[in-house]
Amino acid sequence: LDKSRKKIQGMFDEIAGKYDFLNHLFTLKMDLKWRREIVKEIQKSNSRKDFIIDLATGTGDLSFELLQLSPKKLFAADISFNMLALQKKKTSNPVLVLLQCDSLHLPFEDNSIDIITIGFGIRNFEFMEKCLDEINRVLKKNGQLIIIEMFSNDDFKTKLFNFYFGKVMPLVGNMISGSKYAYSYLHKSVANFYPVEDFITITEKHNFSNFRVKNNFLGVVNTVYFQKL
Ligand SMILES: C[S@@+](CC[C@H](N)C(=O)[O-])C[C@H]1O[C@@H](n2cnc3c(N)ncnc32)[C@H](O)[C@@H]1O
């Protein structure tokens, strides 16, 4: 699967205009609830919330929720200019700083950030493990890394879901977005991604600990909470 920067950036630039609509359609708006729960969990924790990065922020569904935490600065970072441009149209809140950058090179000092969130982004990172090191570098000690993602899963129920996900969604998604590729890529990228247990093992090797998993949907959509060691 081609996850080169050029391919991924081009793909999200291409579908940006239809991204929100299709996202909410395919998840029947459950995705809004999953993101809101992340904010509630952070509110319950006593960790600092002054400086937050929402990585792979896209059009801002997660970053706007994170504003409720009243951070001093919330950096919304993404490689796709078109996704960021749509986010910019939705708000002029001075706390929110939009950044076009690759997760491989974050323009922040070591140990400077309290929380990093990644919503449905890490599966697309070409050099995922190097990105985990980069995230670790900029997070403060005990800082939180929170990832909501679609993981591969071989359960029976998931196989039924895969019919919808592997056949219906690519057809409808590619048609509505006008892309020949994006929604076929989505299915393939999930099928080729790690099961959540394996993902946790890898992340722990990059100096994150205290994981906690919330199964949002069929063991496919999970939110995983980590802390920097
Ligand atoms: C599926 S969208 C998710 C957007 C948003 N976080 C959400 O929850 O709806 C994935 C986003 O990841 C971004 N992305 C992919 N690879 C990236 C990378 N290496 N660095 C930064 N952003 C990346 C894409 O441009 C896209 O906007």
Side-chain angles (χ1 to χ4, degrees):
L1 214 53
D2 186 354
K3 293 189 184 180
S4 63
R5 183 192 165 128
K6 196 169 160 235
K7 186 81 185 178
I8 296 289
Q9 190 175 354
M11 185 178 84
F12 281 102
D13 276 343
E14 184 184 26
I15 64 163
K18 290 284 186 291
Y19 177 82
D20 286 349
F21 171 74
L22 284 170
N23 223 8
H24 302 158
L25 175 75
F26 287 141
T27 63
L28 304 173
K29 294 204 174 174
M30 283 190 291
D31 61 314
L32 301 176
K33 180 173 152 260
W34 300 332
R35 292 191 192 82
R36 246 169 246 145
E37 276 172 7
I38 293 177
V39 172
K40 281 192 198 140
E41 282 300 312
I42 299 174
Q43 276 163 340
K44 277 196 250 162
S45 74
N46 52 13
S47 64
R48 294 185 68 115
K49 309 162 185 66
D50 292 340
F51 298 99
I52 303 178
I53 303 175
D54 181 37
L55 197 51
T57 184
T59 55
D61 273 354
L62 184 52
S63 61
F64 295 141
E65 293 293 336
L66 291 164
L67 282 172
Q68 288 176 46
L69 298 168
S70 309
K72 288 187 181 148
K73 282 285 172 222
L74 168 58
F75 301 97
D78 202 288
I79 43 167
S80 161
F81 180 84
N82 289 357
M83 295 289 270
L84 287 170
L86 284 167
Q87 182 165 167
K88 189 165 193 280
K89 276 193 193 161
K90 296 181 190 171
T91 180
S92 55
N93 187 328
V95 169
L96 186 73
V97 178
L98 296 171
L99 281 177
Q100 190 181 15
C101 70
D102 191 323
S103 54
L104 206 48
H105 305 288
L106 299 174
F108 297 94
E109 288 179 8
D110 296 359
N111 310 310
S112 56
I113 300 293
D114 298 303
I115 300 170
I116 297 185
T117 55
I118 313 177
F120 305 102
I122 199 161
R123 176 178 26 90
N124 304 299
F125 294 176
E126 186 178 16
F127 305 107
M128 187 189 87
E129 295 197 46
K130 283 193 181 149
C131 293
L132 286 171
D133 289 335
E134 180 65 349
I135 288 166
N136 196 282
R137 179 186 71 76
V138 302
L139 269 180
K140 292 180 190 167
K141 190 171 167 16
N142 297 327
Q144 289 195 65
L145 169 63
I146 304 169
I147 292 170
I148 177 164
E149 190 49 89
M150 299 185 74
F151 296 89
S152 67
N153 188 309
D154 283 337
D155 286 354
F156 175 67
K157 274 186 276 172
T158 311
K159 286 197 176 118
L160 291 179
F161 167 67
N162 267 339
F163 174 74
Y164 164 72
F165 190 42
K167 303 268 184 242
V168 181
M169 265 174 67
L171 200 75
V172 178
N174 287 341
M175 194 175 73
I176 295 183
S177 68
S179 167
K180 290 195 179 74
Y181 175 75
Y183 285 83
S184 317
Y185 164 85
L186 172 64
H187 174 249
K188 284 188 197 139
S189 68
V190 175
N192 285 304
F193 198 50
Y194 305 98
V196 68
E197 300 80 13
D198 295 2
F199 175 76
I200 288 165
T201 306
I202 293 171
T203 308
E204 284 182 326
K205 282 189 197 139
H206 293 268
N207 293 319
F208 290 95
S209 69
N210 289 339
F211 76 86
R212 197 157 41 83
V213 185
K214 165 83 199 312
N215 173 357
N216 299 303
F217 185 74
L218 290 178
V220 175
V221 184
N222 294 284
T223 309
V224 198
Y225 297 82
F226 296 98
Q227 214 169 17
K228 172 174 167 173
L229 274 176

